[in-house]
């Protein structure tokens, strides 16, 4: 009967809806079930929410843990320690309403105490342990010889009595099998009802969720309609106000024009009257003034002829003197320009001798005090160059600021504090985008900002702001000048 009770556990725990044993993030994950005599400990990831009920023939206790799944727990654990015959596990229900079922089989009818302690569920048998249960369990007849020995029947007993004993044993086993089958059917019906209830609860939850979502959608739709209505009303009100303002402006403009026209008409009438009254006196004055004007004109013409002749002579003298002064100034300017050009050529030759033949300067630290200067570029044409690009680039071990020109240029580099200034001689900036600052403070670099602007004379100044003073290298390759700054801490 003990083996039969363990085997019947498989019938009683077949779930109607099986779930894959993959723990969900919000479910109670049961990771172990241990048996110690008559005590069974069930360990999960959360405090268990459970229901329990007992069944008979064979005796067993069923625990349903809501919102739980198994992980790493065997579906069947044979025990047979005299109290617990075995343990079976199964999961059923929906993914959102999973139920973990634990069925504990016992050797006999027992009373149990079920307690939850933190994440554990502890089931204890009251009134005795495993050894006592084993002592009180009657031995099952194993055959004709054993039955004869248990009843003190002598070895040569009647064969008919042995046959009747065997038939009685078979009848008892068949009754036990029928009772177990009935219990399995009842268990399956209970499971089907539990699954149906779980499905109904899941459907109700889904219907409630759909209803909530529909209500939220309708509320959002109402809000959208109210917002659109409010916007339409605001637009209509704004149009009405604009129309009222336009009408008021037109009315004021019409009134202003009417007033101006009335004033102009009155002024024209006054002018007409004044002209009519002044016309007669004007005619008289004009006649007398005409004769007087003729006399004055003749006298003025004679005086003007004399003055013009004298003025022309004086102007000729002034023009001659001014031309002489301009010639002297141009000669002086040409001489000064020649001297300046010669000095510039001498200074350029001196700087050219100091530059490194390879056009590369050794790395040096940025100065922390007074400014330091460095020149480079070698021989260049006298044409004015154009800076076409200024940029910033991260290298594996350094940060690079580069400046590109349409042809090689002469340049100087100076440092003061945490600022390095690259000045390009005889150069201009054409594209306004090249004067926009480059903000590089968020890079893991010593450079925090790069900005190019026209400098004094015909030069371009590229100002490089550093987060801290570091050693750097300057290099020129054709129309490309690069300044490499090592990353901080290197």
């Amino acid at each position: 009967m003990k083996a039969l009770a363990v085997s019947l556990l498989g019938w009683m725990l077949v779930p109607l809806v099986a779930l894959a044993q993959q723990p969900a993030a919000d479910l109670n994950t049961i990771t172990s079930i241990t048996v110690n005599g008559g005590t069974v400990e069930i360990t999960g990831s959360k405090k268990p929410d459970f229901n329990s009920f007992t069944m008979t023939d064979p005796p067993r206790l069923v625990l349903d843990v809501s919102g739980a799944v198994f992980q790493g727990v065997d579906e069947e654990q044979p025990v047979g320690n005299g109290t617990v015959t075995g343990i079976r596990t199964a999961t059923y229900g929906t993914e959102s309403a999973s139920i973990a079922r634990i069925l504990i089989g016992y050797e006999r009818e027992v009373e149990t105490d079920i307690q939850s302690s933190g994440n554990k569920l502890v089931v204890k048998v009251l009134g005795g342990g495993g050894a006592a249960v084993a002592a009180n369990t009657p031995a099952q007849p194993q055959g004709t010889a054993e039955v004869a020995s248990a009843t003190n029947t002598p070895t040569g007993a009647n064969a008919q009595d042995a046959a009747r004993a065997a038939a009685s044993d078979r009848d008892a086993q068949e009754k036990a099998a029928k009772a177990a089958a009935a219990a399995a059917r009842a268990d399956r019906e209970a499971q089907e009802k539990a699954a149906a209830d779980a499905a109904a609860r899941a459907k109700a939850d889904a219907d409630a969720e759909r209803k909530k979502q529909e209500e939220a959608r309708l509320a959002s739709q109402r809000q959208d309609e109210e917002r659109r209505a409010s916007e339409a009303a605001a637009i209509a009100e704004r149009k009405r106000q604009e129309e009222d303002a336009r009408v008021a402006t037109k009315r004021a403009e019409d009134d202003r024009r009417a007033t101006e026209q009335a004033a102009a008409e009155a002024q024209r009438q006054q002018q007409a009257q004044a002209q009519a009254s002044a016309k007669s006196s004007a005619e008289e004055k004009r006649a007398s003034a005409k004769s007087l004007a003729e006399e004055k004109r003749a006298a003025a013409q004679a005086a003007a002829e004399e003055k013009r002749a004298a003025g022309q002579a004086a102007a000729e003298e002034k023009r001659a003197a001014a031309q002489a002064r301009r010639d002297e100034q141009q000669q002086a300017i040409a001489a000064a320009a020649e001297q300046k050009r010669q000095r510039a050529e001498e200074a350029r030759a001196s700087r050219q001798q100091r530059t490194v033949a390879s056009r590369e300067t050794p790395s040096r630290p940025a100065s922390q005090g007074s400014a330091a200067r460095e020149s480079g570029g070698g021989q260049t044409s006298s044409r004015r160059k154009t800076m076409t690009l200024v940029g910033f680039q991260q290298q594996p071990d350094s940060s690079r600021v580069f400046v590109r020109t349409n042809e090689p240029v002469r340049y100087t580099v100076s440092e003061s504090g945490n600022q390095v200034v690259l000045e390009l001689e005889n150069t201009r900036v054409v594209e306004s985008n090249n004067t926009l600052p480059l903000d590089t403070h968020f890079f893991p670099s010593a450079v925090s900002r790069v900005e190019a602007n026209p400098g004094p004379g015909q030069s371009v100044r590229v100002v490089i702001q550093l987060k801290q003073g570091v050693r750097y290298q300057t290099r020129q390759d054709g129309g490309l000048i690069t300044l490499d700054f090592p990353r901080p801490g290197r």
Side-chain angles (χ1 to χ4, degrees):
M1 292 298 292
K2 183 186 301 183
L4 179 61
V6 173
S7 65
L8 290 176
L9 294 176
W11 300 357
M12 291 178 275
L13 286 175
V14 176
L16 295 178
V17 181
L19 295 177
Q21 292 193 4
Q22 296 295 330
D26 56 346
L27 296 178
N28 185 358
T29 304
I30 298 174
T31 57
S32 69
I33 300 176
T34 60
V35 180
N36 184 11
T39 301
V40 178
E41 286 190 359
I42 302 165
T43 304
S45 60
K46 295 182 178 180
K47 183 176 181 180
D49 178 13
F50 67 95
N51 293 317
S52 65
F53 59 92
T54 60
M55 304 182 72
T56 58
D57 202 8
R60 55 207 183 276
L61 173 66
V62 180
L63 299 171
D64 284 341
V65 183
S66 301
V69 293
F70 294 103
Q71 184 179 34
V73 178
D74 294 335
E75 292 183 358
E76 181 176 354
Q77 298 183 31
V79 180
N81 62 2
T83 301
V84 179
T85 60
I87 295 176
R88 291 279 293 181
T89 62
T91 307
Y92 65 95
T94 64
E95 185 176 358
S96 60
S98 176
I99 298 176
R101 169 164 289 188
I102 303 101
L103 189 146
I104 306 172
Y106 292 103
E107 292 282 356
R108 61 185 180 83
E109 297 289 342
V110 296
E111 292 185 6
T112 57
D113 177 37
I114 307 173
Q115 299 289 336
S116 63
S117 176
N119 295 344
K120 289 186 176 182
L121 190 61
V122 181
V123 181
K124 295 181 179 180
V125 174
L126 300 178
V133 172
N136 292 328
T137 302
Q140 299 295 326
Q142 302 297 324
T144 305
E146 287 82 353
V147 172
S149 176
T151 55
N152 296 321
T153 304
T155 304
N158 190 308
Q160 186 176 2
D161 293 337
R164 280 197 299 271
S168 177
D169 186 55
R170 284 195 302 273
D171 291 341
Q173 290 180 0
E174 289 174 358
K175 289 181 180 180
K178 290 179 181 179
R185 283 195 299 273
D187 188 53
R188 284 198 299 273
E189 291 173 358
Q191 290 178 357
E192 290 173 356
K193 183 178 179 183
D197 292 341
R201 285 195 299 271
K203 184 177 182 302
D205 293 341
D207 292 340
E209 182 64 22
R210 282 195 298 271
K211 183 177 180 182
K212 186 185 299 181
Q213 292 177 356
E214 180 66 18
E215 290 175 353
R217 187 186 65 79
L218 293 176
S220 176
Q221 184 176 356
R222 285 196 298 272
Q223 290 178 355
D224 290 342
E225 291 175 354
E226 292 172 358
R227 178 180 55 78
R228 286 194 291 270
S230 176
E231 291 175 352
I235 293 172
E237 179 64 20
R238 185 168 62 253
K239 289 182 178 178
R240 185 187 64 77
Q241 292 177 356
E242 292 174 354
E243 182 64 21
D244 292 345
R246 187 185 64 78
V247 171
T249 302
K250 186 176 183 302
R251 186 180 298 113
E253 184 66 20
D254 293 340
D255 294 341
R256 184 185 62 78
R257 286 201 193 94
T259 302
E260 290 177 352
Q261 289 176 358
E265 185 64 24
Q267 186 177 3
R268 279 196 299 272
Q269 292 177 359
Q270 291 177 358
Q271 289 175 353
Q273 293 175 359
Q275 289 174 358
S277 61
K279 187 174 182 181
S280 57
S281 60
E283 290 292 337
E284 295 175 355
K285 291 180 180 179
R286 195 163 42 246
S288 61
K290 184 177 181 182
S291 60
L292 182 60
E294 289 292 338
E295 294 175 355
K296 288 183 178 180
R297 191 163 45 248
Q301 187 172 2
E305 288 294 335
E306 294 176 356
K307 187 176 181 180
R308 187 163 46 250
Q312 287 178 351
E316 287 296 332
E317 294 176 357
K318 288 181 179 179
R319 278 197 295 273
Q323 184 65 36
R325 287 194 299 272
R326 283 196 296 273
D327 292 341
E328 292 176 356
Q329 289 176 355
Q330 289 177 355
Q331 291 175 359
I333 291 172
E338 181 63 22
Q339 292 178 359
K340 184 176 181 180
R341 187 185 65 77
Q342 291 178 357
R343 287 196 298 270
E345 288 293 332
E346 293 173 358
R348 185 177 295 110
S350 176
R351 288 195 302 268
Q352 186 174 358
Q353 292 175 358
R354 292 195 300 269
T355 57
V356 181
S358 64
R359 296 181 182 176
E360 181 178 353
T361 62
S363 62
R364 61 205 173 280
S367 62
Q368 300 296 328
S370 60
R373 299 183 65 86
E374 169 211 344
S375 301
Q379 291 288 347
T380 62
S381 68
S382 60
R383 293 185 299 273
R384 191 169 185 189
K385 287 72 174 176
T386 301
M387 188 192 79
T388 59
L389 182 64
V390 59
F392 173 82
Q393 186 179 35
Q394 284 286 74
Q395 302 290 334
D397 297 323
S398 64
S399 301
R400 171 171 291 179
V401 177
F402 61 89
V403 177
R404 191 180 299 279
T405 56
N406 62 336
E407 59 179 276
V409 300
R410 289 190 57 77
Y411 66 90
T412 59
V413 181
S414 61
E415 316 105 39
S416 179
N418 288 341
Q419 191 177 79
V420 177
V421 179
L422 171 65
E423 187 167 347
L424 309 177
E425 299 178 3
N426 194 24
T427 308
R428 62 185 175 183
V429 181
V430 177
E431 297 291 338
S432 60
N433 284 344
N434 288 329
T435 63
L436 298 176
L438 302 177
D439 186 4
T440 62
H441 76 278
F442 45 81
F443 288 103
S445 167
V447 180
S448 65
R449 182 183 177 91
V450 182
E451 186 172 5
N453 287 297
Q458 295 182 344
S459 67
V460 173
R461 286 170 55 88
V462 180
V463 180
I464 305 170
Q465 189 68 40
L466 302 178
K467 300 175 184 175
Q468 64 187 58
V470 296
R471 303 176 69 88
Y472 63 92
Q473 273 193 338
T474 307
R475 184 191 303 269
Q476 185 180 39
D477 185 7
L480 179 66
I481 301 174
T482 59
L483 291 88
D484 292 335
F485 299 86
R487 294 189 182 180
R490 293 184 179 273

